[in-house]
PDB file of all heavy atoms in Angstrom:
ATOM      1  N   ILE S   3     177.526  46.767  73.169  1.00 88.00           N
ATOM      2  CA  ILE S   3     176.134  46.231  73.182  1.00 88.00           C
ATOM      3  C   ILE S   3     175.443  46.470  71.907  1.00 88.00           C
ATOM      4  O   ILE S   3     174.748  45.610  71.348  1.00 88.00           O
ATOM      5  CB  ILE S   3     175.405  46.967  74.310  1.00 88.00           C
ATOM      6  CG1 ILE S   3     176.010  46.580  75.651  1.00 88.00           C
ATOM      7  CG2 ILE S   3     173.911  46.482  74.291  1.00 88.00           C
ATOM      8  CD1 ILE S   3     175.374  47.310  76.816  1.00 88.00           C
ATOM      9  N   ARG S   4     175.707  47.651  71.272  1.00 88.00           N
ATOM     10  CA  ARG S   4     175.118  47.926  69.968  1.00 88.00           C
ATOM     11  C   ARG S   4     175.644  46.970  68.861  1.00 88.00           C
ATOM     12  O   ARG S   4     174.894  46.554  68.058  1.00 88.00           O
ATOM     13  CB  ARG S   4     175.377  49.427  69.589  1.00 88.00           C
ATOM     14  CG  ARG S   4     174.697  49.862  68.320  1.00 88.00           C
ATOM     15  CD  ARG S   4     174.880  51.409  68.217  1.00 88.00           C
ATOM     16  NE  ARG S   4     174.261  52.114  69.333  1.00 88.00           N
ATOM     17  CZ  ARG S   4     174.375  53.422  69.439  1.00 88.00           C
ATOM     18  NH1 ARG S   4     175.007  54.169  68.549  1.00 88.00           N
ATOM     19  NH2 ARG S   4     173.808  54.021  70.493  1.00 88.00           N
ATOM     20  N   ARG S   5     176.980  46.774  68.897  1.00 86.00           N
ATOM     21  CA  ARG S   5     177.531  45.814  67.902  1.00 86.00           C
ATOM     22  C   ARG S   5     177.021  44.447  68.083  1.00 86.00           C
ATOM     23  O   ARG S   5     176.687  43.781  67.121  1.00 86.00           O
ATOM     24  CB  ARG S   5     179.115  45.859  68.106  1.00 86.00           C
ATOM     25  CG  ARG S   5     179.824  44.687  67.410  1.00 86.00           C
ATOM     26  CD  ARG S   5     179.532  44.627  65.950  1.00 86.00           C
ATOM     27  NE  ARG S   5     180.127  45.787  65.252  1.00 86.00           N
ATOM     28  CZ  ARG S   5     180.035  45.957  63.884  1.00 86.00           C
ATOM     29  NH1 ARG S   5     179.385  45.099  63.134  1.00 86.00           N
ATOM     30  NH2 ARG S   5     180.538  47.051  63.360  1.00 86.00           N
ATOM     31  N   ARG S   6     176.915  43.975  69.338  1.00 87.00           N
ATOM     32  CA  ARG S   6     176.391  42.705  69.597  1.00 87.00           C
ATOM     33  C   ARG S   6     174.927  42.557  69.155  1.00 87.00           C
ATOM     34  O   ARG S   6     174.515  41.526  68.615  1.00 87.00           O
ATOM     35  CB  ARG S   6     176.486  42.369  71.050  1.00 87.00           C
ATOM     36  CG  ARG S   6     175.963  40.950  71.491  1.00 87.00           C
ATOM     37  CD  ARG S   6     176.633  39.852  70.656  1.00 87.00           C
ATOM     38  NE  ARG S   6     176.142  38.565  71.050  1.00 87.00           N
ATOM     39  CZ  ARG S   6     176.257  37.471  70.268  1.00 87.00           C
ATOM     40  NH1 ARG S   6     176.817  37.570  69.068  1.00 87.00           N
ATOM     41  NH2 ARG S   6     175.803  36.333  70.663  1.00 87.00           N
ATOM     42  N   THR S   7     174.125  43.578  69.369  1.00 88.00           N
ATOM     43  CA  THR S   7     172.690  43.570  68.971  1.00 88.00           C
ATOM     44  C   THR S   7     172.654  43.532  67.516  1.00 88.00           C
ATOM     45  O   THR S   7     171.809  42.720  66.937  1.00 88.00           O
ATOM     46  CB  THR S   7     172.073  44.841  69.431  1.00 88.00           C
ATOM     47  OG1 THR S   7     172.161  44.954  70.881  1.00 88.00           O
ATOM     48  CG2 THR S   7     170.584  44.896  69.036  1.00 88.00           C
ATOM     49  N   TRP S   8     173.478  44.226  66.746  1.00 85.00           N
ATOM     50  CA  TRP S   8     173.407  44.164  65.258  1.00 85.00           C
ATOM     51  C   TRP S   8     173.833  42.793  64.778  1.00 85.00           C
ATOM     52  O   TRP S   8     173.236  42.306  63.854  1.00 85.00           O
ATOM     53  CB  TRP S   8     174.299  45.271  64.707  1.00 85.00           C
ATOM     54  CG  TRP S   8     174.408  45.214  63.179  1.00 85.00           C
ATOM     55  CD1 TRP S   8     175.407  44.691  62.415  1.00 85.00           C
ATOM     56  CD2 TRP S   8     173.415  45.722  62.284  1.00 85.00           C
ATOM     57  NE1 TRP S   8     175.083  44.801  61.116  1.00 85.00           N
ATOM     58  CE2 TRP S   8     173.893  45.476  61.024  1.00 85.00           C
ATOM     59  CE3 TRP S   8     172.196  46.375  62.450  1.00 85.00           C
ATOM     60  CZ2 TRP S   8     173.144  45.884  59.872  1.00 85.00           C
ATOM     61  CZ3 TRP S   8     171.459  46.767  61.352  1.00 85.00           C
ATOM     62  CH2 TRP S   8     171.952  46.467  60.072  1.00 85.00           C
ATOM     63  N   ASP S   9     174.833  42.211  65.375  1.00 83.00           N
ATOM     64  CA  ASP S   9     175.320  40.897  64.938  1.00 83.00           C
ATOM     65  C   ASP S   9     174.200  39.816  65.114  1.00 83.00           C
ATOM     66  O   ASP S   9     174.078  38.955  64.234  1.00 83.00           O
ATOM     67  CB  ASP S   9     176.571  40.488  65.730  1.00 83.00           C
ATOM     68  CG  ASP S   9     177.766  41.305  65.366  1.00 83.00           C
ATOM     69  OD1 ASP S   9     177.807  41.879  64.253  1.00 83.00           O
ATOM     70  OD2 ASP S   9     178.733  41.406  66.175  1.00 83.00           O
ATOM     71  N   ILE S  10     173.432  39.959  66.166  1.00 83.00           N
ATOM     72  CA  ILE S  10     172.325  38.954  66.426  1.00 83.00           C
ATOM     73  C   ILE S  10     171.251  39.234  65.427  1.00 83.00           C
ATOM     74  O   ILE S  10     170.636  38.279  64.869  1.00 83.00           O
ATOM     75  CB  ILE S  10     171.892  39.072  67.876  1.00 83.00           C
ATOM     76  CG1 ILE S  10     172.990  38.620  68.850  1.00 83.00           C
ATOM     77  CG2 ILE S  10     170.572  38.223  68.001  1.00 83.00           C
ATOM     78  CD1 ILE S  10     172.588  38.819  70.298  1.00 83.00           C
ATOM     79  N   LEU S  11     170.917  40.484  65.177  1.00 82.00           N
ATOM     80  CA  LEU S  11     169.682  40.785  64.395  1.00 82.00           C
ATOM     81  C   LEU S  11     169.921  40.688  62.890  1.00 82.00           C
ATOM     82  O   LEU S  11     169.039  40.221  62.165  1.00 82.00           O
ATOM     83  CB  LEU S  11     169.259  42.206  64.711  1.00 82.00           C
ATOM     84  CG  LEU S  11     168.731  42.517  66.132  1.00 82.00           C
ATOM     85  CD1 LEU S  11     168.444  43.961  66.290  1.00 82.00           C
ATOM     86  CD2 LEU S  11     167.471  41.677  66.397  1.00 82.00           C
ATOM     87  N   ASP S  12     171.076  41.072  62.389  1.00 74.00           N
ATOM     88  CA  ASP S  12     171.298  41.279  60.998  1.00 74.00           C
ATOM     89  C   ASP S  12     171.473  39.945  60.261  1.00 74.00           C
ATOM     90  O   ASP S  12     170.768  39.685  59.305  1.00 74.00           O
ATOM     91  CB  ASP S  12     172.427  42.235  60.723  1.00 74.00           C
ATOM     92  CG  ASP S  12     172.507  42.556  59.235  1.00 74.00           C
ATOM     93  OD1 ASP S  12     171.537  43.047  58.670  1.00 74.00           O
ATOM     94  OD2 ASP S  12     173.562  42.340  58.595  1.00 74.00           O
ATOM     95  N   VAL S  13     172.450  39.170  60.615  1.00 61.00           N
ATOM     96  CA  VAL S  13     172.727  37.963  59.906  1.00 61.00           C
ATOM     97  C   VAL S  13     172.934  36.828  60.899  1.00 61.00           C
ATOM     98  O   VAL S  13     173.571  36.988  61.956  1.00 61.00           O
ATOM     99  CB  VAL S  13     174.060  38.109  59.070  1.00 61.00           C
ATOM    100  CG1 VAL S  13     174.357  36.797  58.334  1.00 61.00           C
ATOM    101  CG2 VAL S  13     173.911  39.244  58.091  1.00 61.00           C
ATOM    102  N   THR S  14     172.307  35.697  60.603  1.00 54.00           N
ATOM    103  CA  THR S  14     172.486  34.529  61.425  1.00 54.00           C
ATOM    104  C   THR S  14     173.893  33.930  61.321  1.00 54.00           C
ATOM    105  O   THR S  14     174.261  33.442  60.257  1.00 54.00           O
ATOM    106  CB  THR S  14     171.435  33.479  61.125  1.00 54.00           C
ATOM    107  OG1 THR S  14     170.170  34.047  61.263  1.00 54.00           O
ATOM    108  CG2 THR S  14     171.532  32.301  62.042  1.00 54.00           C
ATOM    109  N   GLN S  15     174.721  34.094  62.289  1.00 57.00           N
ATOM    110  CA  GLN S  15     176.083  33.601  62.271  1.00 57.00           C
ATOM    111  C   GLN S  15     176.126  32.102  62.510  1.00 57.00           C
ATOM    112  O   GLN S  15     175.398  31.550  63.300  1.00 57.00           O
ATOM    113  CB  GLN S  15     176.917  34.279  63.330  1.00 57.00           C
ATOM    114  CG  GLN S  15     176.891  35.821  63.220  1.00 57.00           C
ATOM    115  CD  GLN S  15     177.574  36.368  61.935  1.00 57.00           C
ATOM    116  OE1 GLN S  15     178.470  35.708  61.436  1.00 57.00           O
ATOM    117  NE2 GLN S  15     177.110  37.500  61.474  1.00 57.00           N
TER     118      GLN S  15
END
Side-chain angles (χ1 to χ4, degrees):
I3 298 176
R4 186 172 298 177
R5 165 59 66 180
R6 180 56 179 157
T7 302
W8 177 261
D9 289 340
I10 294 175
L11 295 175
D12 187 54
V13 180
T14 302
Q15 305 294 330

